[in-house]
Amino acid sequence: MDTDPKCNLGPINVDVSVQPQAPNSRDASLLEKQTRTRRLFSSTQLFFFSLCYMGTWGAVGGNMYYAMVNGGPAGWFFSYIVVFFGVMCQVASLGELASIRPIAGAQYHWTFDFAPVSNRRFLTWIQGWVTWIGYIATLAGCLNQTTAMVEGLVQLRNTEYQMIGWHTTLITVGTLLFLTLVNMYAFPLVPWFELLSGFLNLGLFVVYIAVLFAMSPRNTGAIFLEEDVSSGWDSYFPAVNIGALSNIFLFVGFESVIHMAEETREPKKAVPRALFWSIFASGVMALITLITLIVSPRCETVRKDRW
């Protein structure tokens, strides 16, 4: 019987080195090829970018009041240890994901990759909006805090100065305009500015701690076991949890460095390293600052004066 030549397929060669892809998976290299940004940041510059963005040790003193009246020195100190440990666990997890796919808007990309197929689009949509709104709110908070510091410095220099609403608005809009112009027309200078700011950050931290330790009065070690619930709560446990929000606030946006991946050289190595070590360094400096503030000023005065 004659064989139909159309059915004679011959031997089939299979390349076993090619791994099958899961259905609905996306090619990570395609996303990287679509990047049109300039990769300006080195690993060191990215580290200092994250260190300065967090500003953790500088924010410790500004949040101490809420922890002092919701748990006291003991609650403030031990809740920080718990928060810091939890944050580092999250950092390690996100760092692993960043080593696989470093990309701006990382959370919603990762959500799409790992969420169940049936609801991945909805979860990605939610994650995208949460991330975007979160950073808009963070920008507003940073601008507000910067404006408050500028007005405070002016008031220290000129005691007759009165803070008026339109002054605050003008400083805020001016700061935002300056940052916008820098990002539009002078962005190649930003990595070097971050590097300089990082060294200043470390240097001023050393000066700050040295001055407080050298010139402030000291409390005894028993202060670390002193409790306080003067905020009005009947139970110590919920008060400490509320006071812990002061410590949680210090690490808000710790994953921000991941979104700079498309502007970083060798992002699969640089981003996870910068993320982990910058948050670890920020946490250690914040812990040193927290201990310094507890042992240096009199905590009774802080609580009575209602900072």
Side-chain angles (χ1 to χ4, degrees), residues 257-305:
V257 69
I258 299 174
H259 303 295
M260 300 300 295
E262 296 179 20
E263 296 160 89
T264 303
R265 297 188 291 271
E266 298 185 0
K268 290 187 177 181
K269 294 181 179 179
V271 172
R273 291 173 181 173
L275 172 65
F276 184 87
W277 290 114
S278 64
I279 302 304
F280 179 78
S282 295
V284 171
M285 289 193 294
L287 178 60
I288 295 173
T289 305
L290 187 148
I291 294 173
T292 303
L293 293 176
I294 289 178
V295 301
S296 296
R298 296 187 178 277
C299 295
E300 297 83 1
T301 305
V302 174
R303 294 196 294 269
K304 291 178 181 178
D305 289 349

CSV table of all heavy atoms in Angstrom, one decimal, residues 257-305:
chain,number,residue,atom,x,y,z
A,257,VAL,N,12.7,52.0,46.5
A,257,VAL,CA,13.9,51.8,45.6
A,257,VAL,C,13.7,50.8,44.5
A,257,VAL,O,14.3,50.9,43.4
A,257,VAL,CB,15.1,51.4,46.5
A,257,VAL,CG1,14.9,50.0,47.0
A,257,VAL,CG2,16.4,51.5,45.7
A,258,ILE,N,12.7,49.9,44.6
A,258,ILE,CA,12.4,49.0,43.6
A,258,ILE,C,11.9,49.7,42.3
A,258,ILE,O,12.2,49.3,41.2
A,258,ILE,CB,11.4,47.9,44.1
A,258,ILE,CG1,11.9,47.2,45.3
A,258,ILE,CG2,11.0,47.0,43.0
A,258,ILE,CD1,10.9,46.2,45.9
A,259,HIS,N,11.2,50.8,42.5
A,259,HIS,CA,10.6,51.5,41.4
A,259,HIS,C,11.7,52.2,40.6
A,259,HIS,O,11.3,52.8,39.5
A,259,HIS,CB,9.5,52.4,41.9
A,259,HIS,CG,8.4,51.7,42.6
A,259,HIS,ND1,7.6,50.8,42.1
A,259,HIS,CD2,8.1,51.8,43.9
A,259,HIS,CE1,6.8,50.4,43.0
A,259,HIS,NE2,7.0,51.0,44.1
A,260,MET,N,12.9,52.3,41.1
A,260,MET,CA,14.0,52.9,40.3
A,260,MET,C,14.7,51.9,39.5
A,260,MET,O,15.8,52.2,38.9
A,260,MET,CB,14.9,53.6,41.3
A,260,MET,CG,14.3,54.7,42.1
A,260,MET,SD,13.6,56.0,41.1
A,260,MET,CE,15.1,56.7,40.4
A,261,ALA,N,14.2,50.7,39.4
A,261,ALA,CA,15.0,49.6,38.7
A,261,ALA,C,15.2,49.9,37.3
A,261,ALA,O,16.3,49.6,36.7
A,261,ALA,CB,14.2,48.3,38.9
A,262,GLU,N,14.3,50.5,36.6
A,262,GLU,CA,14.4,50.8,35.2
A,262,GLU,C,15.4,51.9,34.9
A,262,GLU,O,15.8,52.2,33.7
A,262,GLU,CB,13.1,51.1,34.6
A,262,GLU,CG,12.1,50.0,34.6
A,262,GLU,CD,10.8,50.3,34.0
A,262,GLU,OE1,10.7,51.3,33.3
A,262,GLU,OE2,9.8,49.7,34.4
A,263,GLU,N,15.9,52.6,36.0
A,263,GLU,CA,16.9,53.6,35.8
A,263,GLU,C,18.2,53.3,36.5
A,263,GLU,O,19.0,54.2,36.8
A,263,GLU,CB,16.3,54.9,36.4
A,263,GLU,CG,15.1,55.4,35.6
A,263,GLU,CD,14.3,56.4,36.4
A,263,GLU,OE1,14.6,57.6,36.3
A,263,GLU,OE2,13.3,56.0,37.1
A,264,THR,N,18.4,52.0,36.7
A,264,THR,CA,19.6,51.5,37.5
A,264,THR,C,20.4,50.5,36.6
A,264,THR,O,19.8,49.7,35.9
A,264,THR,CB,19.2,50.8,38.8
A,264,THR,OG1,18.4,51.7,39.6
A,264,THR,CG2,20.4,50.4,39.6
A,265,ARG,N,21.7,50.6,36.7
A,265,ARG,CA,22.5,49.6,36.0
A,265,ARG,C,22.5,48.3,36.7
A,265,ARG,O,22.6,48.3,38.0
A,265,ARG,CB,23.9,50.2,35.8
A,265,ARG,CG,24.0,51.5,35.0
A,265,ARG,CD,25.4,51.9,34.7
A,265,ARG,NE,26.1,52.4,35.9
A,265,ARG,CZ,26.1,53.6,36.3
A,265,ARG,NH1,25.4,54.5,35.7
A,265,ARG,NH2,26.8,54.0,37.4
A,266,GLU,N,22.4,47.2,36.0
A,266,GLU,CA,22.4,45.8,36.6
A,266,GLU,C,21.4,45.8,37.7
A,266,GLU,O,21.7,45.5,38.9
A,266,GLU,CB,23.8,45.4,37.1
A,266,GLU,CG,24.8,45.4,36.0
A,266,GLU,CD,26.2,44.8,36.6
A,266,GLU,OE1,26.2,44.5,37.8
A,266,GLU,OE2,27.1,44.7,35.8
A,267,PRO,N,20.1,46.0,37.4
A,267,PRO,CA,19.1,46.1,38.4
A,267,PRO,C,18.8,44.8,39.2
A,267,PRO,O,18.5,44.9,40.4
A,267,PRO,CB,17.8,46.6,37.7
A,267,PRO,CG,18.1,46.1,36.3
A,267,PRO,CD,19.5,46.2,36.0
A,268,LYS,N,19.0,43.7,38.6
A,268,LYS,CA,18.7,42.4,39.3
A,268,LYS,C,19.7,42.2,40.4
A,268,LYS,O,19.4,41.4,41.3
A,268,LYS,CB,18.8,41.3,38.3
A,268,LYS,CG,17.7,41.2,37.3
A,268,LYS,CD,17.6,40.0,36.4
A,268,LYS,CE,16.4,40.0,35.5
A,268,LYS,NZ,16.4,38.8,34.7
A,269,LYS,N,20.9,42.8,40.4
A,269,LYS,CA,21.8,42.8,41.5
A,269,LYS,C,21.7,44.0,42.4
A,269,LYS,O,21.7,43.9,43.6
A,269,LYS,CB,23.2,42.6,41.0
A,269,LYS,CG,23.5,41.3,40.3
A,269,LYS,CD,24.9,41.2,39.8
A,269,LYS,CE,25.2,39.9,39.1
A,269,LYS,NZ,26.6,39.8,38.7
A,270,ALA,N,21.7,45.2,41.7
A,270,ALA,CA,21.7,46.4,42.5
A,270,ALA,C,20.5,46.7,43.3
A,270,ALA,O,20.6,47.1,44.5
A,270,ALA,CB,21.9,47.6,41.5
A,271,VAL,N,19.3,46.4,42.8
A,271,VAL,CA,18.1,46.8,43.5
A,271,VAL,C,17.9,45.9,44.8
A,271,VAL,O,17.7,46.5,45.9
A,271,VAL,CB,16.9,46.6,42.6
A,271,VAL,CG1,15.6,46.8,43.4
A,271,VAL,CG2,16.9,47.6,41.5
A,272,PRO,N,18.0,44.6,44.8
A,272,PRO,CA,17.9,43.9,46.0
A,272,PRO,C,18.9,44.2,47.1
A,272,PRO,O,18.6,44.3,48.3
A,272,PRO,CB,18.0,42.4,45.6
A,272,PRO,CG,17.8,42.4,44.1
A,272,PRO,CD,18.2,43.7,43.6
A,273,ARG,N,20.2,44.5,46.6
A,273,ARG,CA,21.2,44.8,47.6
A,273,ARG,C,20.9,46.2,48.2
A,273,ARG,O,21.0,46.4,49.4
A,273,ARG,CB,22.6,44.8,46.9
A,273,ARG,CG,23.0,43.4,46.5
A,273,ARG,CD,24.3,43.5,45.7
A,273,ARG,NE,24.8,42.2,45.3
A,273,ARG,CZ,25.8,42.0,44.4
A,273,ARG,NH1,26.5,43.0,43.9
A,273,ARG,NH2,26.1,40.7,44.1
A,274,ALA,N,20.6,47.2,47.4
A,274,ALA,CA,20.3,48.5,47.9
A,274,ALA,C,19.1,48.5,48.8
A,274,ALA,O,19.1,49.2,49.8
A,274,ALA,CB,20.1,49.5,46.7
A,275,LEU,N,18.1,47.7,48.4
A,275,LEU,CA,16.9,47.6,49.2
A,275,LEU,C,17.2,47.1,50.6
A,275,LEU,O,16.8,47.7,51.6
A,275,LEU,CB,15.8,46.8,48.5
A,275,LEU,CG,14.6,46.4,49.3
A,275,LEU,CD1,13.8,47.7,49.6
A,275,LEU,CD2,13.7,45.4,48.6
A,276,PHE,N,17.9,45.9,50.7
A,276,PHE,CA,18.1,45.3,51.9
A,276,PHE,C,19.0,46.1,52.8
A,276,PHE,O,18.7,46.4,54.0
A,276,PHE,CB,18.7,43.9,51.7
A,276,PHE,CG,18.9,43.1,53.0
A,276,PHE,CD1,17.9,42.3,53.5
A,276,PHE,CD2,20.1,43.1,53.6
A,276,PHE,CE1,18.0,41.6,54.6
A,276,PHE,CE2,20.3,42.4,54.8
A,276,PHE,CZ,19.3,41.6,55.3
A,277,TRP,N,20.2,46.5,52.3
A,277,TRP,CA,21.1,47.1,53.1
A,277,TRP,C,20.8,48.6,53.5
A,277,TRP,O,21.1,49.0,54.6
A,277,TRP,CB,22.5,47.1,52.5
A,277,TRP,CG,23.1,45.8,52.4
A,277,TRP,CD1,23.3,45.0,51.3
A,277,TRP,CD2,23.5,44.9,53.5
A,277,TRP,NE1,23.8,43.8,51.6
A,277,TRP,CE2,24.0,43.7,53.0
A,277,TRP,CE3,23.5,45.1,54.9
A,277,TRP,CZ2,24.4,42.7,53.8
A,277,TRP,CZ3,23.9,44.1,55.7
A,277,TRP,CH2,24.4,42.9,55.2
A,278,SER,N,20.0,49.3,52.7
A,278,SER,CA,19.6,50.6,53.0
A,278,SER,C,18.5,50.6,54.1
A,278,SER,O,18.6,51.4,55.1
A,278,SER,CB,19.0,51.3,51.8
A,278,SER,OG,17.9,50.7,51.3
A,279,ILE,N,17.6,49.6,54.1
A,279,ILE,CA,16.6,49.5,55.1
A,279,ILE,C,17.2,49.0,56.4
A,279,ILE,O,16.9,49.5,57.5
A,279,ILE,CB,15.4,48.6,54.7
A,279,ILE,CG1,14.8,49.2,53.4
A,279,ILE,CG2,14.4,48.5,55.8
A,279,ILE,CD1,14.3,50.6,53.5
A,280,PHE,N,18.2,48.1,56.3
A,280,PHE,CA,18.8,47.6,57.5
A,280,PHE,C,19.6,48.7,58.2
A,280,PHE,O,19.6,48.9,59.4
A,280,PHE,CB,19.8,46.5,57.1
A,280,PHE,CG,20.6,45.9,58.3
A,280,PHE,CD1,19.9,45.1,59.2
A,280,PHE,CD2,21.9,46.3,58.5
A,280,PHE,CE1,20.6,44.6,60.3
A,280,PHE,CE2,22.6,45.8,59.6
A,280,PHE,CZ,22.0,44.9,60.5
A,281,ALA,N,20.4,49.5,57.4
A,281,ALA,CA,21.1,50.6,57.9
A,281,ALA,C,20.2,51.7,58.5
A,281,ALA,O,20.4,52.2,59.6
A,281,ALA,CB,22.0,51.3,56.8
A,282,SER,N,19.1,52.0,57.8
A,282,SER,CA,18.1,52.9,58.3
A,282,SER,C,17.5,52.5,59.7
A,282,SER,O,17.4,53.3,60.6
A,282,SER,CB,17.0,53.1,57.3
A,282,SER,OG,17.4,53.7,56.1
A,283,GLY,N,17.2,51.2,59.7
A,283,GLY,CA,16.7,50.6,61.0
A,283,GLY,C,17.6,50.7,62.1
A,283,GLY,O,17.3,51.0,63.3
A,284,VAL,N,18.9,50.4,61.9
A,284,VAL,CA,19.9,50.4,62.9
A,284,VAL,C,20.1,51.9,63.4
A,284,VAL,O,20.2,52.1,64.6
A,284,VAL,CB,21.2,49.8,62.4
A,284,VAL,CG1,22.4,50.1,63.4
A,284,VAL,CG2,21.1,48.3,62.2
A,285,MET,N,20.2,52.8,62.5
A,285,MET,CA,20.4,54.2,62.9
A,285,MET,C,19.2,54.7,63.7
A,285,MET,O,19.3,55.5,64.6
A,285,MET,CB,20.6,55.1,61.6
A,285,MET,CG,22.0,54.9,61.0
A,285,MET,SD,22.4,56.1,59.8
A,285,MET,CE,21.2,55.8,58.5
A,286,ALA,N,18.0,54.3,63.2
A,286,ALA,CA,16.8,54.7,64.0
A,286,ALA,C,16.8,54.1,65.4
A,286,ALA,O,16.3,54.7,66.3
A,286,ALA,CB,15.5,54.3,63.2
A,287,LEU,N,17.2,52.9,65.5
A,287,LEU,CA,17.3,52.2,66.8
A,287,LEU,C,18.3,53.0,67.7
A,287,LEU,O,18.0,53.2,68.9
A,287,LEU,CB,17.7,50.8,66.7
A,287,LEU,CG,17.9,50.0,68.0
A,287,LEU,CD1,16.6,49.9,68.8
A,287,LEU,CD2,18.4,48.6,67.7
A,288,ILE,N,19.4,53.3,67.2
A,288,ILE,CA,20.4,54.1,68.0
A,288,ILE,C,19.8,55.4,68.4
A,288,ILE,O,19.9,55.9,69.6
A,288,ILE,CB,21.7,54.3,67.2
A,288,ILE,CG1,22.4,53.0,66.9
A,288,ILE,CG2,22.6,55.3,67.9
A,288,ILE,CD1,23.6,53.0,66.0
A,289,THR,N,19.1,56.1,67.5
A,289,THR,CA,18.4,57.4,67.8
A,289,THR,C,17.4,57.2,68.9
A,289,THR,O,17.3,58.0,69.8
A,289,THR,CB,17.8,58.0,66.6
A,289,THR,OG1,18.8,58.1,65.5
A,289,THR,CG2,17.2,59.3,66.8
A,290,LEU,N,16.6,56.1,68.8
A,290,LEU,CA,15.5,55.9,69.8
A,290,LEU,C,16.1,55.7,71.1
A,290,LEU,O,15.6,56.2,72.1
A,290,LEU,CB,14.7,54.7,69.3
A,290,LEU,CG,13.5,54.3,70.1
A,290,LEU,CD1,12.4,53.7,69.1
A,290,LEU,CD2,13.8,53.3,71.2
A,291,ILE,N,17.2,54.9,71.2
A,291,ILE,CA,17.8,54.6,72.5
A,291,ILE,C,18.4,55.9,73.1
A,291,ILE,O,18.3,56.2,74.3
A,291,ILE,CB,18.9,53.5,72.4
A,291,ILE,CG1,18.3,52.2,72.0
A,291,ILE,CG2,19.7,53.4,73.6
A,291,ILE,CD1,19.3,51.1,71.7
A,292,THR,N,19.0,56.7,72.2
A,292,THR,CA,19.6,58.0,72.6
A,292,THR,C,18.5,58.9,73.2
A,292,THR,O,18.7,59.6,74.2
A,292,THR,CB,20.3,58.7,71.5
A,292,THR,OG1,21.3,57.8,70.9
A,292,THR,CG2,20.9,60.0,71.9
A,293,LEU,N,17.4,59.0,72.6
A,293,LEU,CA,16.3,59.8,73.0
A,293,LEU,C,15.7,59.3,74.3
A,293,LEU,O,15.2,60.1,75.2
A,293,LEU,CB,15.2,60.0,72.0
A,293,LEU,CG,15.6,60.7,70.7
A,293,LEU,CD1,14.4,60.7,69.7
A,293,LEU,CD2,16.0,62.1,71.0
A,294,ILE,N,15.7,58.0,74.5
A,294,ILE,CA,15.1,57.5,75.8
A,294,ILE,C,16.1,57.8,77.0
A,294,ILE,O,15.6,58.2,78.0
A,294,ILE,CB,14.9,56.0,75.6
A,294,ILE,CG1,13.7,55.7,74.7
A,294,ILE,CG2,14.6,55.3,77.0
A,294,ILE,CD1,13.4,54.3,74.5
A,295,VAL,N,17.4,57.6,76.8
A,295,VAL,CA,18.3,57.7,77.9
A,295,VAL,C,18.8,59.1,78.1
A,295,VAL,O,19.3,59.5,79.2
A,295,VAL,CB,19.5,56.8,77.7
A,295,VAL,CG1,19.1,55.3,77.5
A,295,VAL,CG2,20.4,57.2,76.5
A,296,SER,N,18.6,60.0,77.1
A,296,SER,CA,19.1,61.4,77.2
A,296,SER,C,18.1,62.3,77.9
A,296,SER,O,18.4,62.8,79.0
A,296,SER,CB,19.6,61.9,75.9
A,296,SER,OG,20.6,61.1,75.4
A,297,PRO,N,17.0,62.6,77.3
A,297,PRO,CA,16.1,63.6,77.9
A,297,PRO,C,15.3,62.8,79.0
A,297,PRO,O,15.3,61.6,79.1
A,297,PRO,CB,15.1,64.0,76.8
A,297,PRO,CG,15.6,63.4,75.5
A,297,PRO,CD,16.5,62.2,75.9
A,298,ARG,N,14.6,63.6,79.9
A,298,ARG,CA,13.8,63.0,80.9
A,298,ARG,C,12.4,62.8,80.3
A,298,ARG,O,11.7,63.7,79.9
A,298,ARG,CB,13.6,64.0,82.1
A,298,ARG,CG,15.0,64.2,82.8
A,298,ARG,CD,14.8,65.0,84.1
A,298,ARG,NE,16.0,65.2,84.8
A,298,ARG,CZ,16.5,64.3,85.6
A,298,ARG,NH1,15.9,63.2,85.8
A,298,ARG,NH2,17.7,64.6,86.2
A,299,CYS,N,12.1,61.5,80.2
A,299,CYS,CA,10.8,61.1,79.6
A,299,CYS,C,9.6,61.7,80.3
A,299,CYS,O,8.6,61.9,79.7
A,299,CYS,CB,10.7,59.6,79.5
A,299,CYS,SG,12.0,58.8,78.5
A,300,GLU,N,9.7,61.9,81.6
A,300,GLU,CA,8.6,62.5,82.4
A,300,GLU,C,8.3,63.9,81.8
A,300,GLU,O,7.1,64.3,81.7
A,300,GLU,CB,9.0,62.6,83.8
A,300,GLU,CG,9.2,61.2,84.5
A,300,GLU,CD,10.6,60.7,84.3
A,300,GLU,OE1,11.4,61.4,83.7
A,300,GLU,OE2,10.9,59.6,84.8
A,301,THR,N,9.3,64.6,81.5
A,301,THR,CA,9.1,65.9,80.9
A,301,THR,C,8.4,65.9,79.6
A,301,THR,O,7.6,66.7,79.3
A,301,THR,CB,10.5,66.7,80.8
A,301,THR,OG1,11.1,66.7,82.0
A,301,THR,CG2,10.3,68.1,80.3
A,302,VAL,N,8.8,64.9,78.8
A,302,VAL,CA,8.2,64.8,77.4
A,302,VAL,C,6.7,64.5,77.6
A,302,VAL,O,5.9,65.1,76.9
A,302,VAL,CB,8.9,63.6,76.7
A,302,VAL,CG1,8.1,63.4,75.4
A,302,VAL,CG2,10.3,63.9,76.4
A,303,ARG,N,6.3,63.6,78.5
A,303,ARG,CA,4.9,63.3,78.7
A,303,ARG,C,4.1,64.4,79.3
A,303,ARG,O,3.0,64.7,78.9
A,303,ARG,CB,4.8,62.0,79.5
A,303,ARG,CG,5.3,60.8,78.9
A,303,ARG,CD,4.8,59.5,79.6
A,303,ARG,NE,5.3,59.4,80.9
A,303,ARG,CZ,6.5,58.8,81.2
A,303,ARG,NH1,7.2,58.3,80.3
A,303,ARG,NH2,6.8,58.7,82.5
A,304,LYS,N,4.7,65.1,80.3
A,304,LYS,CA,4.0,66.2,80.9
A,304,LYS,C,3.8,67.4,80.0
A,304,LYS,O,2.8,68.1,80.1
A,304,LYS,CB,4.8,66.6,82.2
A,304,LYS,CG,4.7,65.5,83.3
A,304,LYS,CD,5.5,66.0,84.5
A,304,LYS,CE,5.5,64.9,85.6
A,304,LYS,NZ,6.3,65.3,86.8
A,305,ASP,N,4.8,67.7,79.2
A,305,ASP,CA,4.8,68.9,78.3
A,305,ASP,C,3.9,68.6,77.1
A,305,ASP,O,3.6,69.6,76.4
A,305,ASP,CB,6.2,69.3,77.9
A,305,ASP,CG,7.0,69.9,79.0
A,305,ASP,OD1,6.4,70.1,80.1
A,305,ASP,OD2,8.2,70.1,78.9
